[in-house]
Amino acid sequence: MIRLIAAIDRKRGIAKHGFQPWSIPDDERYFTDQTKSKGACVLIGNSTFKIFKNPLADRQNFVLTRDELNMKGVVRVHDLKEFLDELGDKDIWVAGGASVYAQVIDLGKADELYITHIDADFACDQFFPDFEDKFTKTEEGQAQEQNGFNFTYTKYAKKG
């Protein structure tokens, strides 16, 4: 099962100048809890990995990159399609960035989306891809507020 997890603003923005422009500690805990469950394997792009600076603790980290990576707890992935094809029944979380999300969706490999919808516009310059025509909302949590931001956890499943 391939699950994408992201927090997005009203315009599907995920980052501005390479960083997430909001602070919602509850969503950070949600991200950690979700990605430690259901296999505890996370795939991220090289740019996102550089922002994290270290492997995500208590998870197997896969990084899509052409760069050399010699870091404990990190497995380098060169070919995204091949990697996803070889997963079999293994569970993996895709945690960004924008290009990796888009490639996984375009390949038809994403089974579920775990999206935190933030009711704000942060003038982001990186965006989560269009997904509404390929996915159906299956769960929507209660609206919440933290640090002045209203947000909702929502789960989607691939249509068909």
Side-chain angles (χ1 to χ4, degrees):
M1 175 82 62
I2 299 171
R3 297 174 178 90
L4 280 60
I5 186 165
I8 65 174
D9 73 6
R10 283 187 209 129
K11 295 182 178 177
R12 292 189 336 276
I14 59 172
K16 184 175 183 176
H17 307 299
F19 295 94
Q20 189 172 284
W22 55 80
S23 174
I24 304 175
D26 285 349
D27 185 54
E28 292 169 18
R29 277 189 290 282
Y30 176 79
F31 172 88
T32 298
D33 292 346
Q34 292 302 317
T35 59
K36 284 184 177 179
S37 71
K38 299 178 178 96
C41 294
V42 179
L43 171 68
I44 57 178
N46 192 44
S47 296
T48 302
F49 180 71
K50 287 178 181 174
I51 292 167
F52 291 164
K53 295 184 176 131
N54 292 302
L56 298 173
D58 303 320
R59 287 155 280 191
Q60 175 63 60
N61 291 250
F62 296 91
V63 177
L64 181 62
T65 184
R66 290 181 195 97
D67 295 347
E68 290 296 320
L69 287 177
N70 293 319
M71 187 176 290
K72 186 175 180 179
V74 176
V75 175
R76 185 174 59 175
V77 174
H78 291 288
D79 185 312
L80 180 62
K81 183 179 183 322
E82 181 181 312
F83 173 75
L84 296 175
D85 286 346
E86 291 176 359
L87 277 176
D89 342 354
K90 191 171 186 178
D91 288 312
I92 193 152
W93 292 93
V94 178
S99 172
V100 178
Y101 290 135
Q103 290 177 66
V104 174
I105 289 174
D106 289 347
L107 288 168
K109 297 292 188 177
D111 297 304
E112 294 179 337
L113 309 178
Y114 285 65
I115 305 291
T116 302
H117 290 277
I118 303 169
D119 189 18
D121 178 358
F122 295 93
C124 291
D125 53 21
Q126 294 289 309
F127 298 90
F128 195 85
D130 288 323
F131 63 91
E132 292 84 355
D133 60 332
K134 297 177 183 171
F135 293 85
T136 303
K137 186 185 301 183
T138 58
E139 294 177 27
E140 184 171 31
Q142 295 290 327
Q144 300 181 48
E145 185 275 332
Q146 189 174 41
N147 286 349
F149 302 116
N150 295 312
F151 61 98
T152 307
Y153 302 121
T154 309
K155 184 176 166 184
Y156 298 84
K158 183 167 38 176
K159 288 182 179 179

